[in-house]
């Protein structure tokens, strides 16, 4: 049993949940009363009607909170079992996790004012919720690790000769024999390697670095 309910220029459709109302009274869901713009005690016209079986419906959630539901399709399919009809323009309400979600019926097939959804396969399409905005894509910046690796590669690839001028500062002369403690500063000294005896190599050599501090003691390693 399907009925058309109207008041003024507003109308909707409904089925029968229970036959418990007194004669001359009808009990409607609150969302249906808001659709018809009526309050408790107002008059409403009830007519018996017939509606085709629906095959398609397009709905629009009235809040972006609907996107927080993990499986909105399953929740909606379960909620629609409590409905007998769907009417274009209706703002139906479903309850999930103690929260009420408003849904606008935007389009139905077969085209008309309403369809019956009792014992029928209904295809559901979702429109973006009211207030939903597409996220603006932001260009990805260069990763920090990639930047660090590039700097490290450039540092390794650059030879030390390009970083520092060779033979900078003041040179120091090595005194292999009796001029202990006497050193003479020279500039731009070229180094020539000569073969020396073991006894000469074991003698102590005092060397001053460019800061004037004393260098570490010689390492007397075995031959």
């Amino acid at each position: 049993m399907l009925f058309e309910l109207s008041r003024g220029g507003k109308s909707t459709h409904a089925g029968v949940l229970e036959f418990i109302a007194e004669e001359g009274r009808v009990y409607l869901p609150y969302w249906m009363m808001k659709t018809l713009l009526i309050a408790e005690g107002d008059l409403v016209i009830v007519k018996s009607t017939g509606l085709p079986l629906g095959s398609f419906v397009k709905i629009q959630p009235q809040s972006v909170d609907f996107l927080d539901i993990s499986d909105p399709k399953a929740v909606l399919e379960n909620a629609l079992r409590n409905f007998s009809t769907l009417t274009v323009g209706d703002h139906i309400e479903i309850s999930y996790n103690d929260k009420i979600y408003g849904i606008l019926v935007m389009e139905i097939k077969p085209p008309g004012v309403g369809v019956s959804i009792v014992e029928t396969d209904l295809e559901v399409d979702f429109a973006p919720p009211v207030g939903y905005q597409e996220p603006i894509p932001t260009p990805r910046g260069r990763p920090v690790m990639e930047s660090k690796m590039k700097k490290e590669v450039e540092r390794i690839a650059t030879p030390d000769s390009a970083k520092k001028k060779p033979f900078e500062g003041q040179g120091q002369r090595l005194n292999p024999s009796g001029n202990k403690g006497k050193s003479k500063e020279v500039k731009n000294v070229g180094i020539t390697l000569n073969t020396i005896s073991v006894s000469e190599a074991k003698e102590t050599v005092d060397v001053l670095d460019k800061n004037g501090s004393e260098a570490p003691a010689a390492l007397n390693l075995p031959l």
Side-chain angles (χ1 to χ4, degrees):
M1 299 180 64
L2 301 179
F3 298 91
E4 179 185 355
L5 297 92
S6 60
R7 168 68 186 267
K10 301 289 184 179
S11 65
T12 187
H13 300 85
V16 177
L17 180 63
E18 292 177 325
F19 293 93
I20 59 174
E22 300 88 348
E23 186 175 353
R25 292 179 179 268
V26 60
Y27 293 94
L28 306 178
Y30 182 61
W31 67 264
M32 190 175 292
M33 296 177 65
K34 291 190 295 183
T35 299
L36 298 175
L37 301 179
I38 59 176
E40 293 183 10
D42 289 346
L43 293 177
V44 63
I45 300 175
V46 181
K47 295 181 179 180
S48 178
T49 187
L51 295 173
L53 292 177
S55 59
F56 171 84
V57 61
K58 184 176 182 179
I59 62 174
Q60 181 187 38
Q62 298 300 289
S63 172
V64 293
D65 295 339
F66 190 78
L67 299 177
D68 297 334
I69 301 177
S70 59
D71 192 353
K73 184 178 180 181
V75 172
L76 186 65
E77 288 178 353
N78 185 62
L80 289 180
R81 294 176 183 174
N82 299 321
F83 292 79
S84 300
T85 66
L86 292 176
T87 305
V88 176
D90 276 359
H91 285 79
I92 64 176
E93 293 180 346
I94 63 173
S95 176
Y96 178 73
N97 281 349
D98 299 329
K99 190 171 182 178
I100 303 298
Y101 298 93
I103 295 177
L104 170 64
V105 180
M106 301 181 65
E107 182 184 348
I108 57 173
K109 289 182 181 180
V113 292
V115 292
S116 172
I117 58 173
V118 178
E119 296 181 356
T120 181
D121 294 330
L122 189 66
E123 180 182 354
V124 180
D125 186 20
F126 290 86
V130 175
Y132 175 76
Q133 295 181 353
E134 289 286 345
I136 301 175
T138 56
R140 296 179 58 187
R142 297 180 60 185
V144 178
M145 181 60 68
E146 179 182 351
S147 178
K148 290 183 177 180
M149 291 180 63
K150 183 175 181 180
K151 291 181 179 179
E152 184 67 17
V153 169
E154 291 177 352
R155 185 188 67 82
I156 296 175
T158 304
D160 293 339
S161 58
K163 301 177 183 177
K164 186 177 180 181
K165 186 177 179 181
F167 302 109
E168 288 183 341
Q170 299 175 345
Q172 305 293 332
R173 182 182 296 278
L174 304 181
N175 299 320
S177 58
N179 297 328
K180 182 177 181 181
K182 297 179 181 180
S183 62
K184 185 178 180 179
E185 296 181 356
V186 294
K187 296 182 179 179
N188 299 329
V189 178
I191 300 177
T192 302
L193 299 180
N194 296 323
T195 304
I196 60 175
S197 63
V198 177
S199 59
E200 291 178 346
K202 290 184 178 181
E203 293 189 16
T204 304
V205 178
D206 293 333
V207 180
L208 298 179
D209 61 11
K210 63 181 179 180
N211 295 325
S213 59
E214 190 174 18
L219 296 177
N220 297 323
L221 301 176
L223 182 62

